[in-house]
Amino acid sequence: MAETTTSLGIDELHAYWARVCAPGSAAPLPQDVVKTLLAGLRLNVLETLRYLHQKQPSYAQFEAWVWERNGGELEEVALNRLRRALAGEAVGAEVGDLEHVEGLTADDLAHWHEHGYVILRNAISSEAAEIAETAIYDFLEMDRDNPESWYRESLGHSIWVPLLRHPALVANRRAPRIHKAHAQLWGREDLWVTIDQGGFNPPERENWPFPGPHLHWDATLAEPHCLELQGILYLADVDEDQGAFSCVPGFHRTLKQWLKSIPSGMDVHDYARRTLTMTPIAAKRGDMIIWHHLLPHGSSPNRSQRPRVVQYMSLRPTRFAYTEEWKS
C-alpha cells in the first residue's frame, strides 16, 4: 500500500483508496471531503465502493478505473477546481457566473423555510426533461406507449434505474437554475453535484405492488441536526396519485421534539409510519423538488395510468457541517 498518486495527482483519492482497500492503514477522510471528492470525479458512491471492495485494485488500477468511468475524459479545468477546493481554496460555481441566473423567488424561499421543501419550476426545459425521460425508457428497453412493456424483469421489483452517465442526465446536472437554487439554499456557490440514478415507478397492478421506498430518512437522527439537501427532477408530469415524491412538510422544525415522544423500545421508523402522514407533491415535467434531508419522505404507490419517471440529484458545498454519529 505504498503507492502514491499518479495521473490525477489528488492526495485525497489516494487516502480514500488506502482506507477502503487496507483498513487501518490510513486515517478516515471526513464525510464531506469524501462526498466532494467522488462528486468532483463524477463517481457514484455505491459503484465506487463496490469496485474497491470486490476488485481490491492497486492504486494505479483505481485511477485507471476513474478515467474509464469518465470515458477517458476529465477536463483539467474541472480537476484543478477540485484540487483547489480540497486544498481549502475558494472556488466558484461549476457552471459559471450565477449572478444573472433566475433562481428561487422570495415566496419560494419563504415556502422552503416553512415547509422544508420547495418546487423549482422549470429547473430544466421541457425538451431536456423529455430527452432524459426517453433515455430511461431506452435503457430499460420499454415502450413509453405500451403498458405491458413497463414491467420487464430487467428492472426487477424496484423503482431505481441504474443509469448514471447518459449525456441527457449529465446535461441536467449542469442546469444553471438548479445550481442557482441550491446556492441560494446553501448560501454559497462552491457546489458539487452527485452522480445519481434515475427512477421509474409504473402503475401498481396485481403482480407488481408498489415496492417502496416508504417513509424514511436518509440522514442520521442524532443531534446536532444539520442542513443537507436532496432533490428529485420530474422528467414527465406527475400527479399526486402517480407515485409522486411524498414528505411530511415542516417536520424539520419539529423533529427534535417529536423524537422525545417516541415510546421506549419502539423503532423510530415504525413509530413514524404509524403516526406521520406524508403529502404527495405533484409537479410538471422539468420541475425539481428540493427538500431538507430531515423531512421524513418516500415515494408513493402509483395509482394512475402513467409511470413516474425521474432523475435524482443532490448538490453540496465542498465542506459542510454534519453529525458523525449515525442514529436511525
Side-chain angles (χ1 to χ4, degrees), residues 143-156:
D143 183 340
R144 189 194 323 233
D145 300 315
N146 179 8
E148 288 306 310
S149 74
W150 299 343
Y151 303 90
R152 290 187 183 277
E153 292 183 1
S154 58
L155 180 60

PDB file of all heavy atoms in Angstrom, residues 143-156:
ATOM      1  N   ASP A 143     -41.329   0.600 -23.926  1.00  0.00           N
ATOM      2  CA  ASP A 143     -42.049   1.458 -24.865  1.00  0.00           C
ATOM      3  C   ASP A 143     -42.932   2.395 -24.054  1.00  0.00           C
ATOM      4  O   ASP A 143     -43.807   1.944 -23.306  1.00  0.00           O
ATOM      5  CB  ASP A 143     -42.893   0.594 -25.813  1.00  0.00           C
ATOM      6  CG  ASP A 143     -43.621   1.407 -26.877  1.00  0.00           C
ATOM      7  OD1 ASP A 143     -43.795   2.625 -26.692  1.00  0.00           O
ATOM      8  OD2 ASP A 143     -44.033   0.812 -27.886  1.00  0.00           O
ATOM      9  N   ARG A 144     -42.722   3.685 -24.217  1.00  0.00           N
ATOM     10  CA  ARG A 144     -43.491   4.674 -23.459  1.00  0.00           C
ATOM     11  C   ARG A 144     -44.998   4.480 -23.607  1.00  0.00           C
ATOM     12  O   ARG A 144     -45.775   4.777 -22.687  1.00  0.00           O
ATOM     13  CB  ARG A 144     -43.104   6.071 -23.940  1.00  0.00           C
ATOM     14  CG  ARG A 144     -43.673   7.201 -23.099  1.00  0.00           C
ATOM     15  CD  ARG A 144     -43.572   8.558 -23.779  1.00  0.00           C
ATOM     16  NE  ARG A 144     -42.363   8.741 -24.541  1.00  0.00           N
ATOM     17  CZ  ARG A 144     -41.521   9.769 -24.397  1.00  0.00           C
ATOM     18  NH1 ARG A 144     -41.760  10.680 -23.492  1.00  0.00           N
ATOM     19  NH2 ARG A 144     -40.460   9.878 -25.165  1.00  0.00           N
ATOM     20  N   ASP A 145     -45.429   3.991 -24.766  1.00  0.00           N
ATOM     21  CA  ASP A 145     -46.866   3.892 -25.064  1.00  0.00           C
ATOM     22  C   ASP A 145     -47.413   2.471 -24.957  1.00  0.00           C
ATOM     23  O   ASP A 145     -48.557   2.226 -25.331  1.00  0.00           O
ATOM     24  CB  ASP A 145     -47.137   4.449 -26.470  1.00  0.00           C
ATOM     25  CG  ASP A 145     -46.731   5.907 -26.591  1.00  0.00           C
ATOM     26  OD1 ASP A 145     -47.059   6.690 -25.670  1.00  0.00           O
ATOM     27  OD2 ASP A 145     -46.068   6.271 -27.578  1.00  0.00           O
ATOM     28  N   ASN A 146     -46.611   1.552 -24.434  1.00  0.00           N
ATOM     29  CA  ASN A 146     -47.061   0.165 -24.287  1.00  0.00           C
ATOM     30  C   ASN A 146     -46.968  -0.253 -22.829  1.00  0.00           C
ATOM     31  O   ASN A 146     -45.906  -0.659 -22.358  1.00  0.00           O
ATOM     32  CB  ASN A 146     -46.217  -0.762 -25.160  1.00  0.00           C
ATOM     33  CG  ASN A 146     -46.636  -2.220 -25.011  1.00  0.00           C
ATOM     34  OD1 ASN A 146     -47.647  -2.542 -24.381  1.00  0.00           O
ATOM     35  ND2 ASN A 146     -45.852  -3.119 -25.590  1.00  0.00           N
ATOM     36  N   PRO A 147     -48.075  -0.183 -22.087  1.00  0.00           N
ATOM     37  CA  PRO A 147     -48.047  -0.504 -20.650  1.00  0.00           C
ATOM     38  C   PRO A 147     -47.483  -1.889 -20.346  1.00  0.00           C
ATOM     39  O   PRO A 147     -46.871  -2.084 -19.292  1.00  0.00           O
ATOM     40  CB  PRO A 147     -49.506  -0.388 -20.227  1.00  0.00           C
ATOM     41  CG  PRO A 147     -50.088   0.597 -21.196  1.00  0.00           C
ATOM     42  CD  PRO A 147     -49.411   0.316 -22.496  1.00  0.00           C
ATOM     43  N   GLU A 148     -47.678  -2.840 -21.239  1.00  0.00           N
ATOM     44  CA  GLU A 148     -47.180  -4.192 -20.966  1.00  0.00           C
ATOM     45  C   GLU A 148     -45.651  -4.224 -20.892  1.00  0.00           C
ATOM     46  O   GLU A 148     -45.074  -5.113 -20.264  1.00  0.00           O
ATOM     47  CB  GLU A 148     -47.687  -5.172 -22.026  1.00  0.00           C
ATOM     48  CG  GLU A 148     -49.158  -5.481 -21.912  1.00  0.00           C
ATOM     49  CD  GLU A 148     -49.550  -5.976 -20.521  1.00  0.00           C
ATOM     50  OE1 GLU A 148     -48.873  -6.897 -20.007  1.00  0.00           O
ATOM     51  OE2 GLU A 148     -50.516  -5.445 -19.944  1.00  0.00           O
ATOM     52  N   SER A 149     -45.005  -3.263 -21.530  1.00  0.00           N
ATOM     53  CA  SER A 149     -43.532  -3.233 -21.523  1.00  0.00           C
ATOM     54  C   SER A 149     -42.962  -2.620 -20.256  1.00  0.00           C
ATOM     55  O   SER A 149     -41.742  -2.683 -20.036  1.00  0.00           O
ATOM     56  CB  SER A 149     -43.034  -2.459 -22.748  1.00  0.00           C
ATOM     57  OG  SER A 149     -43.233  -1.057 -22.579  1.00  0.00           O
ATOM     58  N   TRP A 150     -43.809  -2.039 -19.415  1.00  0.00           N
ATOM     59  CA  TRP A 150     -43.322  -1.312 -18.247  1.00  0.00           C
ATOM     60  C   TRP A 150     -42.919  -2.219 -17.089  1.00  0.00           C
ATOM     61  O   TRP A 150     -42.452  -1.733 -16.057  1.00  0.00           O
ATOM     62  CB  TRP A 150     -44.386  -0.339 -17.752  1.00  0.00           C
ATOM     63  CG  TRP A 150     -44.783   0.700 -18.756  1.00  0.00           C
ATOM     64  CD1 TRP A 150     -44.110   1.070 -19.882  1.00  0.00           C
ATOM     65  CD2 TRP A 150     -45.975   1.490 -18.734  1.00  0.00           C
ATOM     66  NE1 TRP A 150     -44.796   2.041 -20.557  1.00  0.00           N
ATOM     67  CE2 TRP A 150     -45.953   2.332 -19.867  1.00  0.00           C
ATOM     68  CE3 TRP A 150     -47.063   1.585 -17.855  1.00  0.00           C
ATOM     69  CZ2 TRP A 150     -46.965   3.234 -20.156  1.00  0.00           C
ATOM     70  CZ3 TRP A 150     -48.077   2.485 -18.129  1.00  0.00           C
ATOM     71  CH2 TRP A 150     -48.030   3.308 -19.263  1.00  0.00           C
ATOM     72  N   TYR A 151     -43.106  -3.509 -17.235  1.00  0.00           N
ATOM     73  CA  TYR A 151     -42.874  -4.421 -16.120  1.00  0.00           C
ATOM     74  C   TYR A 151     -41.835  -5.480 -16.482  1.00  0.00           C
ATOM     75  O   TYR A 151     -41.888  -6.601 -16.020  1.00  0.00           O
ATOM     76  CB  TYR A 151     -44.199  -5.067 -15.705  1.00  0.00           C
ATOM     77  CG  TYR A 151     -45.247  -4.045 -15.347  1.00  0.00           C
ATOM     78  CD1 TYR A 151     -46.115  -3.548 -16.325  1.00  0.00           C
ATOM     79  CD2 TYR A 151     -45.340  -3.525 -14.056  1.00  0.00           C
ATOM     80  CE1 TYR A 151     -47.058  -2.571 -16.018  1.00  0.00           C
ATOM     81  CE2 TYR A 151     -46.283  -2.551 -13.738  1.00  0.00           C
ATOM     82  CZ  TYR A 151     -47.138  -2.074 -14.726  1.00  0.00           C
ATOM     83  OH  TYR A 151     -48.071  -1.107 -14.422  1.00  0.00           O
ATOM     84  N   ARG A 152     -40.857  -5.084 -17.282  1.00  0.00           N
ATOM     85  CA  ARG A 152     -39.805  -6.016 -17.698  1.00  0.00           C
ATOM     86  C   ARG A 152     -38.984  -6.475 -16.493  1.00  0.00           C
ATOM     87  O   ARG A 152     -38.716  -5.709 -15.573  1.00  0.00           O
ATOM     88  CB  ARG A 152     -38.881  -5.357 -18.715  1.00  0.00           C
ATOM     89  CG  ARG A 152     -39.526  -5.121 -20.075  1.00  0.00           C
ATOM     90  CD  ARG A 152     -38.492  -4.618 -21.072  1.00  0.00           C
ATOM     91  NE  ARG A 152     -39.080  -4.320 -22.367  1.00  0.00           N
ATOM     92  CZ  ARG A 152     -39.308  -5.214 -23.309  1.00  0.00           C
ATOM     93  NH1 ARG A 152     -38.998  -6.468 -23.079  1.00  0.00           N
ATOM     94  NH2 ARG A 152     -39.833  -4.851 -24.469  1.00  0.00           N
ATOM     95  N   GLU A 153     -38.556  -7.729 -16.533  1.00  0.00           N
ATOM     96  CA  GLU A 153     -37.771  -8.279 -15.430  1.00  0.00           C
ATOM     97  C   GLU A 153     -36.404  -7.617 -15.313  1.00  0.00           C
ATOM     98  O   GLU A 153     -35.760  -7.699 -14.270  1.00  0.00           O
ATOM     99  CB  GLU A 153     -37.603  -9.791 -15.615  1.00  0.00           C
ATOM    100  CG  GLU A 153     -38.904 -10.559 -15.458  1.00  0.00           C
ATOM    101  CD  GLU A 153     -38.701 -12.055 -15.572  1.00  0.00           C
ATOM    102  OE1 GLU A 153     -37.537 -12.481 -15.749  1.00  0.00           O
ATOM    103  OE2 GLU A 153     -39.697 -12.792 -15.480  1.00  0.00           O
ATOM    104  N   SER A 154     -35.960  -6.936 -16.384  1.00  0.00           N
ATOM    105  CA  SER A 154     -34.650  -6.284 -16.331  1.00  0.00           C
ATOM    106  C   SER A 154     -34.593  -5.229 -15.232  1.00  0.00           C
ATOM    107  O   SER A 154     -33.532  -4.968 -14.673  1.00  0.00           O
ATOM    108  CB  SER A 154     -34.322  -5.627 -17.678  1.00  0.00           C
ATOM    109  OG  SER A 154     -35.318  -4.674 -18.029  1.00  0.00           O
ATOM    110  N   LEU A 155     -35.713  -4.613 -14.904  1.00  0.00           N
ATOM    111  CA  LEU A 155     -35.759  -3.621 -13.841  1.00  0.00           C
ATOM    112  C   LEU A 155     -35.869  -4.285 -12.477  1.00  0.00           C
ATOM    113  O   LEU A 155     -35.403  -3.752 -11.472  1.00  0.00           O
ATOM    114  CB  LEU A 155     -36.932  -2.659 -14.056  1.00  0.00           C
ATOM    115  CG  LEU A 155     -37.124  -1.559 -13.018  1.00  0.00           C
ATOM    116  CD1 LEU A 155     -35.878  -0.670 -12.952  1.00  0.00           C
ATOM    117  CD2 LEU A 155     -38.347  -0.704 -13.352  1.00  0.00           C
ATOM    118  N   GLY A 156     -36.476  -5.487 -12.436  1.00  0.00           N
ATOM    119  CA  GLY A 156     -36.720  -6.126 -11.160  1.00  0.00           C
ATOM    120  C   GLY A 156     -37.869  -5.428 -10.448  1.00  0.00           C
ATOM    121  O   GLY A 156     -38.505  -4.513 -10.981  1.00  0.00           O
TER     122      GLY A 156
END
